[in-house]
Amino acid sequence: MKSTILCAVAATLFALFPTLASAQENEDAEPRWSIAIHGGAGTLDPDRMTPERRAAYEAALQQALDAGSEILANGGSAMDAVQAAIIPMEDNPLFNAGRGAVFTWEGTNELDASIMDGRDRSAGAVTGVTTVRNPILLADRVRTGSPHVFLMGEGAEQFAVEQGFEVTPPEWFATEARRRSLERMRAEALSALDVDHKFGTVGAVALDMDGNLAAGTSTGGMTGKRWGRIGDAPVIGAGTYADNRSCAVSATGWGEYFIRVGVAQEICTRLRIGYNRETFTGREALTELERVLNTMRSQRPNKSFQQTVIDSVMAEVAELGGDGGVILVTPEGHALFSFNTTGMYRGRATSDGVNEVAIFGGHVEAEASETPDH
């Protein structure tokens, strides 16, 4: 009887996933890599975006995407690719990270960043730094060069100096456009959302040819932030998370809500549970079912399931009153997005030939045949 049930289960699973028959062929396939990036999400109006400004954003996204893709295509690590993709966005005043970061209420630029390695779930994060040109590099140094995960303010900057980071003067980060946003906010008693209309946080997630995942996020926070406010970007589990067993996620949005939901880890946890759901009881049944499920996982789990999980977590953010978006890469190389705003600056590239950047439109799944909306 038990054997009959198992055969029926296996037959059903193979009927639902016909590619399982080519499991051996998949083992001989070339190693795959994948990367996704974002440059913020928010209330973006296509009618108010000039062709020149749109071209500038698309060029900046492509530059970041190319930097990360080159690392992966040459066999480099996901961790190196994530940093390579984020650095040019931190240096570009179009984005709210590094140079071009928004101003606090006191008129300073305070920077946050975090990074996580999916191999061992080691992580590093910094918040409130003002003298480090590329905070994502400092976050990684916290991960590799200290016994800690999260450093803040003066202590993080002291650590940076001890680690050989150059002190970057405040004028490097300041831009006139961001200063005007702060002045308008003060003069008209507006909220940060009224001034910015978007969240310019930057991030990247990647899968390398060794099957390792990584995620990183960097931001200047919200215009006019006060009292040492910290958003989700430097918070491991909220704005950044990577776990080889499930996914790598970087988020952008209204940080308070992403923290409350624990967006990044929540997505990875739901996917991991979904991958390993035990439907039957009994050791023999579980052993056989595990064999079948392992074969399924080797054939790229269903993207519609993965997208549903991502969208459901973002729906929780919306239900609480928050908005924003996420990028995600899975162990199978799927590069996915989800956002509940009118747009999200984003891009993705894979070893299957996908290479595209986009600003408007809804969530998309990674298929080489799709047409980007740029």
Side-chain angles (χ1 to χ4, degrees), residues 54-75:
R54 183 166 185 161
Y57 269 107
E58 290 177 345
L61 290 169
Q62 191 65 60
Q63 179 189 11
L65 191 62
D66 290 345
S69 298
E70 183 178 4
I71 297 286
L72 297 171
N74 290 325

Side-chain angles (χ1 to χ4, degrees), residues 38 82-83 86-87 90 96-98 101 110-116 123-130 132-143 149-153 156 165 201-204 215-221 225 229-237 239-241 250-251:
H38 70 74
V82 162
Q83 293 171 76
I86 289 177
I87 287 171
E90 287 182 329
N96 175 21
E110 295 182 357
L111 314 172
D112 307 330
S114 61
I115 194 166
M116 188 167 185
V126 294
T127 186
V129 297
T130 61
V132 179
R133 173 169 172 166
N134 295 115
I136 194 66
L137 295 181
L138 181 58
D140 191 52
R141 190 64 61 85
V142 171
R143 181 184 71 88
V149 170
F150 204 170
L151 300 182
M152 65 174 285
F165 283 74
T201 297
V202 305
T217 312
S218 182
T219 189
K225 61 184 179 180
R229 179 264 184 188
I230 301 171
D232 66 302
V235 178
I236 299 300
T240 303
Y241 202 75
S250 175

Side-chain angles (χ1 to χ4, degrees), residues 11-243:
T12 301
L13 291 173
F14 276 87
L16 291 173
F17 302 91
T19 56
L20 295 178
S22 59
Q24 184 58 49
E25 294 178 9
N26 185 72
E27 292 178 1
D28 299 329
E30 290 292 324
R32 61 175 61 94
W33 57 265
S34 182
I35 185 170
I37 64 170
H38 70 74
T43 306
L44 307 174
D45 185 351
D47 296 330
R48 299 180 62 182
M49 174 90 58
T50 66
E52 293 78 14
R53 188 165 180 79
R54 183 166 185 161
Y57 269 107
E58 290 177 345
L61 290 169
Q62 191 65 60
Q63 179 189 11
L65 191 62
D66 290 345
S69 298
E70 183 178 4
I71 297 286
L72 297 171
N74 290 325
S77 72
M79 289 293 290
D80 288 344
V82 162
Q83 293 171 76
I86 289 177
I87 287 171
M89 292 191 285
E90 287 182 329
D91 288 343
N92 192 320
L94 288 175
F95 304 105
N96 175 21
R99 189 180 190 190
V102 300
F103 283 88
T104 68
W105 185 260
E106 291 75 21
T108 59
N109 305 112
E110 295 182 357
L111 314 172
D112 307 330
S114 61
I115 194 166
M116 188 167 185
D117 190 333
R119 292 175 296 182
D120 56 4
R121 284 175 283 171
S122 60
V126 294
T127 186
V129 297
T130 61
T131 64
V132 179
R133 173 169 172 166
N134 295 115
I136 194 66
L137 295 181
L138 181 58
D140 191 52
R141 190 64 61 85
V142 171
R143 181 184 71 88
T144 62
S146 84
H148 308 300
V149 170
F150 204 170
L151 300 182
M152 65 174 285
E154 293 181 3
E157 291 175 346
Q158 179 182 347
F159 174 76
V161 171
E162 293 175 359
Q163 292 292 312
F165 283 74
E166 294 184 4
V167 175
T168 304
E171 53 266 27
W172 163 258
F173 306 104
T175 63
E176 192 57 37
R178 299 298 192 186
R179 196 181 301 277
R180 287 196 300 269
S181 293
L182 176 63
E183 291 171 353
R184 179 170 168 245
M185 180 184 184
R186 286 171 163 175
E188 301 179 29
L190 300 174
S191 74
L193 300 179
D194 293 326
V195 171
D196 292 334
H197 300 292
K198 68 179 182 66
F199 309 96
T201 297
V202 305
V205 291
L207 167 75
D208 62 34
M209 290 188 186
D210 292 325
N212 295 314
L213 296 166
T217 312
S218 182
T219 189
M222 300 183 78
T223 298
K225 61 184 179 180
R226 306 178 74 177
W227 311 300
R229 179 264 184 188
I230 301 171
D232 66 302
V235 178
I236 299 300
T240 303
Y241 202 75
D243 185 341

Side-chain angles (χ1 to χ4, degrees), residues 13 17 20 291-301:
L13 291 173
F17 302 91
L20 295 178
R291 183 190 67 78
V292 175
L293 291 175
N294 283 338
T295 306
M296 287 168 51
R297 285 193 288 272
S298 73
Q299 294 299 308
R300 301 193 179 197

